[in-house]
Amino acid sequence: MLALLSMTAVRLGMGSMTVVRSLEDISRHSLIISGEIPGASPDHMMSPVGNIGRRGHQFPYVNHSPNPSREFSGSLGNVAWKERVDGWKMKDKGAIPMTNGTSIAPSEGRGVGDIDASTDYNMEDALLNDETRQPLSRKVPIPSSRINPYRMVIVLRLIVLCIFLHYRITNPVRNAYPLWLLSVICEIWFALSWILDQFPKWSPINRETYLDRLALRYDREGEPSQLAPVDIFVSTVDPMKEPPLVTANTVLSILAVDYPVDKVSCYVSDDGAAMLTFDALAETSEFARKWVPFCKKYNIEPRAPEWYFAQKIDYLKDKIQTSFVKDRRAMKREYEEFKVRINGLVAKAQKVPEEGWIMQDGTPWPGNNTRDHPGMIQVFLGHSGGLDAEGNELPRLVYVSREKRPGFQHHKKAGAMNALVRVSAVLTNGQYLLNLDCDHYINNSKALREAMCFLMDPNLGRSVCYVQFPQRFDGIDRNDRYANRNTVFFDINLRGLDGLQGPVYVGTGCVFNRTALYGYEPPIKKKKPVFFSSLCGGRKKTSKSKKKSSEKKSHKHADSSVPVFNLEDIEEGIEGSQFDDEKSLIMSQMSLEKRFGQSSVFVASTLMEYGGVPQSATPESLLKEAIHVISCGYEDKTDWGSEIGWIYGSVTEDILTGFKMHARGWRSIYCMPKRPAFKGSAPINLSDRLNQVLRWALGSIEILFSRHCPIWYGYGGRLKFLERFAYVNTTIYPLTSIPLLLYCILPAVCLLTGKFIIPEISNFASIWFILLFISIFATGILEMRWSGVGIDEWWRNEQFWVIGGISAHLFAVFQGLLKVLAGIDTSFTVTSKATDEEGDFAELYMFKWTTLLIPPTTILIINLVGVVAGISYAINSGYQSWGPLFGKLFFAFWVIVHLYPFLKGLMGRQNRTPTIVVVWAILLASIFSLLWVRIDPFTTRVTGPDIVKCGINC
């Protein structure tokens, strides 16, 4: 990587915007834009470092070459490929290749697979020798006194549910047959939905990490750190909806993370090619020189300045340094000035000039046309030259904006993440990847070390595809009326999955094993051959004919969970030739290029099991190759998005990506440190929240109707049965909106027609009804007991399940069907991350009209009308009609109580319902009741006899 730190700035003139920028130093801030290099000119040297932060201080470079990879990547790719082959040779001889290019021989009595290859042990140290045998983490099972009653209630609830459904099916309501039939169908669907949601939570676990053992094994004082390098991705699109100050805080928390600086690289993806984001990042890189040493000197938490200074705590507590108060006040002034500069950039960007943004040298900003612009790479901070105020090195900070051209499918966020995977592999090639949304900052500076306790564990780490952290949020009101914290999902559902094959990937706060993203399968423990495998020869096939037959078999099952690649098979194939046949090396490289794309440099990086870039790599080749791999046509005719990287085909690419990894046999880990690892912002406004849920549900519907549907995808693979249950539930849950909508309408219909969905029940039958409700509440209570979730959080989740189900989920079903059946694609908007500048929770009370509000409003009104009508009818009919009314009122009030937060959202800023609304509601209800009693339209009127004809004798 040190080879990147010496490059000279040049410019050339070809095409409309033909400028090449390379770096004299990785921290010298030159913008690299895709282009040919016909020559170099020293006339346009890069601006000095002190100019950073002023608009337009860089020069771009544009590429018009149809296939630049073959022009400049061949020599470097061959060198990297040969270095990888040399690594295989060392492994074949029993040596372990190290990340720094050296190697160690395995100790006697221990196999190579038992020692983590990135660690150099000193076996003479008895204490270390003892500690290195200890695991870096352990499972902490839920106490049996809490989990066993929970499991018993689940089984009992299943039995009661079966008896209840049997009773409902065998006892139809003859005078309300259509209503009864609809209700039974809905109840059967609810039962199936509950089973899919409940049983994956059968074996929840907790985990405990040992950071001291990690440090003793990989990061001892006075020795070079052997912790694995990590590339961190931050994705952003629209700086007007995702404020640059929010993104800046996320980046600053990354640069100040408690991890070796030479092992951290931060890549910011600007998929909107906004000059505002570029300039804000330049300001951030300058402020980081002061902020990072302050954080590390005083070990402050969190290391995002906005949230650190917003803490309402006594910052003098436990601070014994006499200089802390002075330094803190000075840093707060620096941050306020930094905010002024960022806000100034935002204010200036509100009005775009007619001719577009112009850079300092007079050339237009390459991203003026967001749908048609070249790829751009800007390195702000790096090793030498990227020093903080105290002369210490800073982590790398790289700005990336992939190429956009009309006529190409760019795949939104998933495409941007795949571009980051490739450009990071070329420039730094960290063994692990952390992806964060622009509004999710690192709240726990040791978060990366927590993840490494799993990923770098010699026994566990090799089979782990990612470590998922729970999402935690700032800026949510105490009552959390719309369940924005999703506590039930993060603290109950995902902990249950961790006891199976691991939690699903939730889109942010996740540390990936780069190898898993490349489509390789995990190392599988050797098992004794069963009868069928012994007949087929198992893994002992060596002849070419057997290999061809196995390849055909794998191609035949391309849609299953059979892994795309097997690193061990590639190595064995090359080692088997003893490296005598140069043609076999070329053929292996060409086959991988067909899968990964036409970049031999990138292909070579995918085979570096422990990350890093070749020492022989030249800076010019690396930067040119980085530009090439983010070109919009790079993924054509490759496996990107289908088997490699973030998977395309759904707006919720996170669920699909994690599912593919689990189907190949990888497992994931759920890490819940005491101090939350990451925190972000959530859309607390009702309309924004519903739009967010709509996007999630639409993505699930897209997966449900795709070839990757977990109902039929991957059988015969390595996906565990209950894990499949969980994935089926994550894709099928929006369909529950249809029976839920019908079930919420039924109470009002019953009240207005006088019918009911349940017949008169006997005392014996009523016991099963009572037991069903008791089991429902008991399940919830015991879940809260073992998970620590509060009853208020659980109840808010139940309420929003109804609100979101009859609005966002319902719309998602219809939009998904339109997309699948009619090909009508629906676009989604970026969730707003606006800061709270108008007071506490100002955004909560904003009312934004959207069509998603229509179904809940309608259902709320008709149930209120039904309640009034039912009570009016009972008053008019006498006391004998009150008994049947109570059952109908119970279901109607169930709907109204669940929709109460929605009603509050319609009320606006007031914490209580306005008096005028109460007065009008009472007045209208009274008038309606009087009219109902007078008209009584649903009562069959019996006509008496004709007195004129019959007289007294009738």
Side-chain angles (χ1 to χ4, degrees):
M1 194 55 226
L2 294 177
L4 274 175
L5 306 180
S6 58
M7 298 186 72
T8 348
V10 292
R11 176 178 179 176
L12 37 113
M14 179 178 181
S16 59
M17 221 166 288
T18 56
V19 185
V20 177
R21 259 306 169 268
S22 52
L23 298 176
E24 180 182 353
D25 185 280
I26 201 168
S27 64
R28 292 303 181 96
H29 319 287
S30 66
L31 180 61
I32 313 298
I33 304 181
S34 54
E36 292 179 343
I37 309 182
S41 171
D43 299 338
H44 301 279
M45 298 299 290
M46 164 198 66
S47 301
V49 177
N51 288 338
I52 289 302
R54 293 190 294 187
R55 191 173 290 276
H57 55 78
Q58 307 300 339
F59 302 95
Y61 144 4
V62 180
N63 185 16
H64 302 281
S65 173
N67 189 7
S69 178
R70 292 302 177 190
E71 298 178 10
F72 48 70
S73 68
S75 60
L76 177 59
N78 291 334
V79 171
W81 184 266
K82 290 178 180 178
E83 288 185 2
R84 176 59 177 158
V85 171
D86 292 339
W88 285 330
K89 287 182 178 179
M90 287 191 296
K91 186 181 291 186
D92 188 48
K93 294 176 182 178
I96 306 172
M98 303 298 291
T99 56
N100 58 5
T102 61
S103 63
I104 60 172
S107 303
E108 295 182 3
R110 300 185 71 178
V112 175
D114 297 329
I115 303 175
D116 187 79
S118 61
T119 308
D120 190 2
Y121 297 112
N122 180 7
M123 295 304 178
E124 296 178 357
D125 189 338
L127 176 61
L128 176 61
N129 209 6
D130 219 20
E131 283 294 326
T132 51
R133 292 190 177 94
Q134 299 297 322
L136 301 178
S137 64
R138 73 180 183 98
K139 293 182 181 179
V140 182
I142 305 295
S144 57
S145 59
R146 296 186 178 184
I147 196 64
N148 287 339
Y150 174 66
R151 291 170 177 168
M152 291 174 59
V153 169
I154 291 175
V155 174
L156 290 175
R157 179 175 173 180
L158 184 61
I159 295 172
V160 172
L161 186 60
C162 292
I163 297 174
F164 169 79
L165 291 176
H166 177 267
Y167 171 81
R168 293 284 286 126
I169 294 171
T170 55
N171 290 270
V173 182
R174 301 297 180 185
N175 63 341
Y177 195 83
L179 297 180
W180 167 84
L181 182 61
L182 283 176
S183 66
V184 170
I185 293 173
C186 293
E187 288 162 3
I188 293 173
W189 181 269
F190 293 150
L192 294 175
S193 178
W194 172 75
I195 290 173
L196 290 174
D197 178 70
Q198 189 69 62
F199 280 89
K201 298 182 286 188
W202 183 263
S203 301
I205 60 170
N206 296 317
R207 292 186 184 271
E208 191 175 80
T209 56
Y210 302 104
L211 296 180
D212 52 344
R213 294 178 185 174
L214 179 76
L216 187 60
R217 184 178 296 184
Y218 296 107
D219 196 27
R220 286 181 287 171
E221 292 186 10
E223 298 181 11
S225 175
Q226 293 294 335
L227 289 172
V230 182
D231 293 337
I232 303 177
F233 299 162
V234 178
S235 56
T236 181
V237 180
D238 188 350
M240 294 303 168
K241 294 182 178 179
E242 300 166 328
L245 187 61
V246 174
T247 304
N249 272 271
T250 299
V251 172
L252 289 169
S253 69
I254 293 171
L255 298 178
V257 69
D258 183 6
Y259 207 75
V261 292
D262 60 325
K263 306 285 186 178
V264 177
S265 301
C266 177
Y267 292 83
V268 179
S269 171
D270 178 18
D271 218 32
M275 195 169 181
L276 172 58
T277 303
F278 179 82
D279 283 345
L281 207 58
E283 288 285 358
T284 303
S285 66
E286 285 301 294
F287 179 70
R289 301 176 190 273
K290 303 172 184 177
W291 173 251
V292 172
F294 171 75
C295 293
K296 294 186 175 180
K297 181 179 180 180
Y298 297 108
N299 196 26
I300 67 168
E301 296 283 4
R303 299 188 177 182
E306 182 70 25
W307 297 104
Y308 170 68
F309 291 121
Q311 292 180 115
K312 297 179 180 179
I313 59 173
D314 182 9
Y315 63 87
L316 299 177
K317 185 179 180 181
D318 299 329
K319 298 296 181 182
I320 58 175
Q321 295 91 336
T322 56
S323 59
F324 172 71
V325 176
K326 179 181 178 181
D327 289 349
R328 186 185 186 278
R329 290 173 180 170
M331 185 52 59
K332 189 172 184 179
R333 286 193 299 268
E334 292 281 357
Y335 178 64
E336 293 298 330
E337 293 174 2
F338 168 72
K339 288 175 64 175
V340 170
R341 293 194 295 271
I342 295 294
N343 291 332
L345 292 174
V346 175
K348 190 175 181 180
Q350 297 293 329
K351 186 177 181 181
V352 182
E354 294 182 1
E355 66 280 6
W357 298 113
I358 304 297
M359 299 195 297
Q360 191 175 17
D361 67 336
T363 58
W365 168 250
N368 278 327
N369 187 345
T370 58
R371 297 183 179 180
D372 186 4
H373 64 82
M376 295 176 282
I377 295 177
Q378 167 69 44
V379 184
F380 286 104
L381 296 174
H383 261 320
S384 62
L387 304 179
D388 61 27
E390 297 182 359
N392 300 316
E393 293 178 357
L394 289 172
R396 301 172 187 87
L397 176 60
V398 184
Y399 168 91
V400 178
S401 182
R402 59 180 173 143
E403 183 184 16
K404 294 284 187 70
R405 299 298 179 193
F408 286 90
Q409 176 60 264
H410 298 106
H411 302 289
K412 300 176 181 175
K413 181 181 177 181
M417 297 304 295
N418 284 338
L420 285 183
V421 172
R422 296 192 295 271
V423 73
S424 65
V426 171
L427 294 180
T428 52
N429 198 27
Q431 187 177 354
Y432 302 109
L433 308 173
L434 164 64
N435 85 290
L436 296 172
D437 288 343
C438 65
D439 63 324
H440 272 72
Y441 63 91
I442 297 180
N443 182 66
N444 183 346
S445 62
K446 298 186 183 296
L448 292 181
R449 295 177 181 269
E450 294 277 355
M452 291 306 118
C453 286
F454 302 104
L455 293 168
M456 296 188 70
D457 190 290
N459 298 319
L460 175 66
R462 294 179 64 85
S463 62
V464 175
C465 55
Y466 59 80
V467 176
Q468 178 67 62
F469 292 86
Q471 292 185 25
R472 304 301 188 204
F473 302 98
D474 290 309
I476 298 177
D477 65 307
R478 182 172 55 86
N479 295 321
D480 190 18
R481 64 170 68 163
Y482 306 126
N484 286 277
R485 291 190 176 91
N486 285 325
T487 313
V488 172
F489 175 73
F490 288 115
D491 288 15
I492 297 180
N493 294 60
L494 292 191
R495 286 168 71 184
L497 290 179
D498 198 20
L500 304 176
Q501 198 173 344
V504 299
Y505 168 42
V506 297
T508 185
C510 186
V511 182
F512 283 94
N513 184 339
R514 190 185 281 268
T515 303
L517 276 175
Y518 288 156
Y520 292 113
E521 68 173 335
I524 305 299
K525 294 181 179 179
K526 294 183 179 180
K527 299 180 180 179
K528 294 182 179 180
V530 294
F531 178 73
F532 179 78
S533 63
S534 63
L535 289 177
C536 298
R539 291 180 175 265
K540 296 183 180 180
K541 293 181 180 180
T542 56
S543 64
K544 293 183 179 180
S545 60
K546 290 179 179 178
K547 288 184 178 179
K548 288 181 179 179
S549 64
S550 63
E551 288 176 4
K552 290 180 180 179
K553 185 178 180 181
S554 64
H555 286 299
K556 181 179 179 181
H557 299 281
D559 290 341
S560 71
S561 62
V562 175
V564 185
F565 312 114
N566 188 335
L567 185 59
E568 295 174 359
D569 291 344
I570 297 172
E571 294 176 6
E572 290 172 3
I574 294 179
E575 289 171 2
S577 65
Q578 297 299 319
F579 304 98
D580 294 333
D581 191 358
E582 188 74 20
K583 187 176 180 180
S584 65
L585 290 176
I586 297 174
M587 293 301 293
S588 298
Q589 185 174 359
M590 290 177 63
S591 64
L592 288 175
E593 284 185 0
K594 289 182 180 179
R595 300 178 187 272
F596 289 106
Q598 296 298 315
S599 172
S600 55
V601 178
F602 175 74
V603 168
S605 72
T606 65
L607 299 175
M608 296 177 183
E609 191 173 358
Y610 304 108
V613 296
Q615 291 186 344
S616 56
T618 61
E620 294 84 357
S621 299
L622 287 179
L623 285 170
K624 293 173 189 174
E625 196 69 9
I627 285 294
H628 168 57
V629 297
I630 61 172
S631 60
C632 55
Y634 180 82
E635 295 182 354
D636 291 348
K637 298 180 180 179
T638 66
D639 287 338
W640 282 100
S642 59
E643 302 293 341
I644 303 172
W646 271 256
I647 307 301
Y648 304 150
S650 171
V651 295
T652 53
E653 68 288 330
D654 46 4
I655 298 293
L656 197 52
T657 302
F659 174 62
K660 294 277 284 188
M661 293 180 185
H662 283 134
R664 293 190 182 108
W666 292 93
R667 72 150 297 127
S668 57
I669 298 293
Y670 197 50
C671 182
M672 298 179 65
K674 291 182 179 179
R675 180 178 179 86
F678 309 99
K679 280 192 175 183
S681 59
I684 60 176
N685 175 265
L686 175 60
S687 302
D688 288 342
R689 172 68 166 146
L690 289 177
N691 276 295
Q692 182 189 56
V693 174
L694 170 63
R695 181 171 66 87
W696 294 342
L698 179 59
S700 296
I701 291 295
E702 290 173 342
I703 298 173
L704 180 64
F705 294 116
S706 72
R707 74 181 185 92
H708 291 120
C709 176
I711 297 176
W712 54 72
Y713 179 86
Y715 281 97
R718 304 188 184 103
L719 189 67
K720 291 187 177 180
F721 183 70
L722 288 181
E723 189 81 8
R724 183 181 298 278
F725 260 41
Y727 274 108
V728 170
N729 186 49
T730 59
T731 57
I732 210 171
Y733 75 89
L735 295 181
T736 307
S737 60
I738 297 175
L740 182 61
L741 178 71
L742 294 175
Y743 216 75
C744 288
I745 294 175
L746 283 175
V749 175
C750 292
L751 286 167
L752 292 173
T753 60
K755 311 292 185 182
F756 198 35
I757 58 177
I758 299 176
E760 291 187 12
I761 58 177
S762 62
N763 293 334
F764 180 76
S766 63
I767 295 177
W768 297 112
F769 280 83
I770 296 173
L771 287 177
L772 179 63
F773 283 104
I774 291 176
S775 65
I776 291 173
F777 288 114
T779 306
I781 292 170
L782 292 174
E783 270 189 358
M784 290 183 281
R785 186 166 177 258
W786 66 253
S787 66
V789 173
I791 189 171
D792 54 337
E793 296 170 319
W794 180 84
W795 174 237
R796 292 293 183 226
N797 181 77
E798 294 295 310
Q799 288 179 310
F800 196 79
W801 176 73
V802 176
I803 296 171
I806 61 177
S807 57
H809 296 173
L810 185 67
F811 276 72
V813 171
F814 288 108
Q815 289 184 18
L817 291 175
L818 285 175
K819 183 174 182 179
V820 173
L821 301 178
I824 302 175
D825 195 2
T826 53
S827 60
F828 67 92
T829 57
V830 177
T831 306
S832 176
K833 275 90 176 179
T835 55
D836 184 19
E837 297 178 353
E838 300 179 3
D840 292 339
F841 316 118
E843 187 188 355
L844 172 65
Y845 308 106
M846 293 176 62
F847 183 82
K848 302 176 184 177
W849 175 253
T850 173
T851 52
L852 296 176
L853 301 177
I854 296 176
T857 305
T858 305
I859 289 175
L860 193 59
I861 290 174
I862 64 172
N863 274 278
L864 289 172
V865 169
V867 169
V868 174
I871 294 176
S872 301
Y873 178 80
I875 293 173
N876 191 42
S877 302
Y879 71 92
Q880 70 276 2
S881 61
W882 284 97
L885 178 65
F886 284 136
K888 304 173 188 177
L889 289 178
F890 173 81
F891 287 104
F893 279 120
W894 179 90
V895 175
I896 294 171
V897 168
H898 277 78
L899 292 178
Y900 178 69
F902 176 83
L903 179 63
K904 290 192 69 175
L906 296 179
M907 294 299 102
R909 186 176 180 82
Q910 291 82 0
N911 292 326
R912 60 184 180 85
T913 305
T915 305
I916 188 65
V917 174
V918 176
V919 172
W920 274 103
I922 294 174
L923 180 61
L924 291 175
S926 302
I927 295 174
F928 183 82
S929 300
L930 292 173
L931 289 174
W932 189 272
V933 172
R934 179 69 183 87
I935 299 172
D936 205 4
F938 290 99
T939 302
T940 303
R941 300 186 179 280
V942 180
T943 305
D946 191 342
I947 300 178
V948 176
K949 292 183 179 180
C950 301
I952 298 175
N953 297 325
C954 289

